[in-house]
Amino acid sequence: MTIIVTGGAGFIGSNFVYLELEEHSDDRIICLDNLTYAGNLSTLKKAMEYPNFRFVKADISDREAVEKLFEEEHPDIVVNFAAESHVDRSIEDPGIFLQTNIIGTQVLMDACRKYGIKRYHQVSTDEVYGDLPLDRPDLFFTEETPIHTSSPYSSSKAGADLLVLAYHRTYGLPVTVTRCSNNYGPYHFPEKLIPLMISRALADEPLPVYGKGENVRDWLYVKDHCKAIDLVMRGGRVGEVYNIGGHNEKSNLEVVKTILKELGKSEDLITFVTDRPGHDMRYAIDPTKIHNELGWLPETKFEDGIKQTIRWYLDNKEWWEEIISGEYRNYFDKMYKEKGRA
Ligand code: NAD
Ligand code: DAU
């Protein structure tokens, strides 16, 4: 089969590209990515050595470029990871989130309709459900939980997610959607909580924890997410949504303290800073459906996964040091110093 993986130069997409190359050597993997600040070609260096891998630099919202690729490759499956993915950036400047996340999804699906496809898979997020209160640990997001977004990012993802389901109902496009909780692991861009805290702790720099650090996220090791997507895009029921998460709820403060402990650094580095506007309190996924229908279960416990992740950042310093030495500096100053967050 020929599979187009959009956003394959980013965090989860690149982990997915490697999973496919390692576990499905008969398939041809085409990565379509326009290399925004979050896309990194060096991440795909090893993938380039596989004869069944091709990289194409293009914007998913560029209809001409997308159709050209479909004409060349006649894909069987399209799995759409490409997105603007950082909530804080969406609060600063929502426009590009609507363009990439919604219009990009439309352009991809229009090409799927025009050229024919076996499966279009949309990588959505648990953020489409909004948040849960801290004092109701009995509540979880199921696939029936109403869409109720908080940020421009989650709203753009919800728009795309609903558009995908509408293309199924209206045009019969064979789609599936997955809504996953927070991922962590190798190649995670160092603007997100876990890699940000690892890189700053290693430099003995203050760790900016928003608000009181009590917000809860349901952490999943990235490879477990990729395996779930692989199962759904190949065997999930058409037109269905599957939640992905591993019952791994941690407050931000717990996560930051775990990182400091693993690195042998002092908790004095923790600095409580101005909260994120509209900050979601708690995410927690009920993964019963994907478990019952496809047998998926997470394989990596947080306690092991966080150690492996920290090890990866220690062993691959050149990957993230190059990122944080460039344009990223301006980003950090703008997002943290100017807002009194550091
Ligand atoms: P990321 O920001 O690390 O990577 C995004 C990738 O998409 C980059 O390689 C970037 O260059 C590419 N891209 C952006 N705009 C593009 C465009 N217009 N055309 C082509 N390529 C473009 O993101 P991530 O954290 O790997 O997330 C991947 C997907 O998974 C996103 O759709 C995100 O919403 C979803 N998701 C992420 C998480 C998480 O915890 N990170 C959890 C659930 C769902
Ligand atoms: O739940 C899935 C979502 O998880 C994905 O859809 C998003 O693409 C992904 O970025 C992630 O969103 P979050 O907003 O949860 O991730 P982030 O790493 O930005 O923040 C995690 C938590 O840590 C959140 O409560 C905010 C807090 N935080 C974050 C940063 C960057 C801090 O306290 N300090 C920080 O500097």
Side-chain angles (χ1 to χ4, degrees):
M1 279 201 295
T2 296
I3 303 173
I4 292 182
V5 179
T6 73
F11 166 44
I12 310 174
S14 61
N15 279 279
F16 184 78
V17 163
Y18 284 114
L19 178 82
E20 294 301 305
L21 290 174
E22 281 155 21
E23 298 200 351
H24 300 280
S25 51
D26 289 346
D27 291 337
R28 184 167 154 73
I29 307 299
I30 318 293
C31 171
L32 169 64
D33 195 302
N34 71 341
L35 299 178
T36 67
Y37 78 93
N40 198 331
L41 215 44
S42 75
T43 303
L44 293 173
K45 211 168 128 203
K46 285 197 207 113
M48 303 287 186
E49 290 165 15
Y50 286 74
N52 54 334
F53 177 77
R54 177 183 173 198
F55 178 80
V56 177
K57 184 177 181 313
D59 188 326
I60 57 163
S61 65
D62 178 344
R63 198 171 285 274
E64 207 179 307
V66 167
E67 290 196 359
K68 182 170 174 283
L69 184 61
F70 272 66
E71 269 166 23
E72 285 168 11
E73 295 287 352
H74 305 288
D76 299 290
I77 298 179
V78 172
V79 48
N80 183 23
F81 289 91
E84 288 294 331
S85 70
H86 193 32
V87 173
D88 290 327
R89 287 187 190 252
S90 81
I91 294 166
E92 282 304 295
D93 187 6
I96 187 67
F97 284 73
L98 307 189
Q99 175 66 21
T100 289
N101 300 0
I102 302 178
I103 303 298
T105 298
Q106 182 212 352
V107 168
L108 287 172
M109 290 195 298
D110 285 345
C112 290
R113 286 185 63 213
K114 183 168 174 183
Y115 295 94
I117 196 91
K118 290 196 178 105
R119 181 64 61 94
Y120 174 88
H121 181 76
Q122 177 74 2
V123 182
S124 190
T125 167
D126 63 354
E127 293 201 19
V128 300
Y129 299 121
D131 62 353
L132 296 164
L134 284 184
D135 61 0
R136 288 293 308 274
D138 55 313
L139 295 181
F140 296 92
F141 297 138
T142 72
E143 289 80 2
E144 274 69 52
T145 301
I147 303 291
H148 185 76
T149 57
S150 311
S151 70
Y153 162 71
S154 56
S155 304
S156 69
K157 290 294 292 184
D161 182 318
L162 294 175
L163 193 63
V164 171
L165 297 173
Y167 267 53
H168 171 64
R169 176 158 174 166
T170 307
Y171 306 119
L173 195 71
V175 308
T176 35
V177 175
T178 45
R179 297 177 182 153
C180 187
S181 59
N182 286 63
N183 286 214
Y184 67 101
Y187 300 118
H188 203 178
F189 195 84
E191 67 188 350
K192 305 283 174 69
L193 181 77
I194 289 182
L196 181 81
M197 297 302 166
I198 297 173
S199 57
R200 289 185 68 82
L202 284 170
D204 293 309
E205 287 173 327
L207 309 187
V209 173
Y210 297 168
K212 296 181 189 153
E214 60 189 3
N215 306 64
V216 168
R217 296 292 182 267
D218 185 358
W219 293 98
L220 184 70
Y221 193 63
V222 62
K223 205 163 183 183
D224 282 326
H225 183 190
C226 293
K227 285 184 178 176
I229 292 171
D230 182 70
L231 280 175
V232 172
M233 79 178 193
R234 290 171 193 271
R237 284 185 295 135
V238 165
E240 291 292 316
V241 175
Y242 294 86
N243 280 355
I244 308 173
H247 287 300
N248 238 321
E249 290 177 54
K250 307 271 175 213
S251 74
N252 294 338
L253 208 49
E254 276 176 275
V255 171
V256 173
K257 285 183 179 176
T258 304
I259 292 170
L260 287 170
K261 194 165 169 226
E262 280 300 320
L263 291 173
K265 300 283 183 179
S266 163
E267 289 188 7
D268 291 346
L269 287 176
I270 295 172
T271 315
F272 293 99
V273 299
T274 315
D275 209 350
R276 170 186 282 175
H279 197 171
D280 280 338
M281 206 34 111
R282 170 175 169 251
Y283 302 147
I285 283 277
D286 175 353
T288 306
K289 180 174 174 180
I290 189 170
H291 174 63
N292 287 348
E293 286 191 20
L294 297 166
W296 178 86
L297 275 178
E299 291 166 23
T300 307
K301 287 199 206 103
F302 184 77
E303 292 63 32
D304 301 327
I306 193 72
K307 283 189 187 136
Q308 286 171 35
T309 303
I310 290 173
R311 185 74 259 155
W312 188 88
Y313 278 86
L314 288 168
D315 291 343
N316 291 276
K317 276 191 179 169
E318 68 294 348
W319 182 84
W320 55 269
E321 278 180 350
E322 197 182 315
I323 291 171
I324 64 173
S325 65
E327 173 57 24
Y328 180 85
R329 283 273 148 209
N330 302 335
Y331 162 82
F332 193 86
D333 289 350
K334 181 164 180 268
M335 300 295 273
Y336 289 80
K337 292 194 176 147
E338 284 174 22
K339 292 183 188 305
R341 282 180 169 170

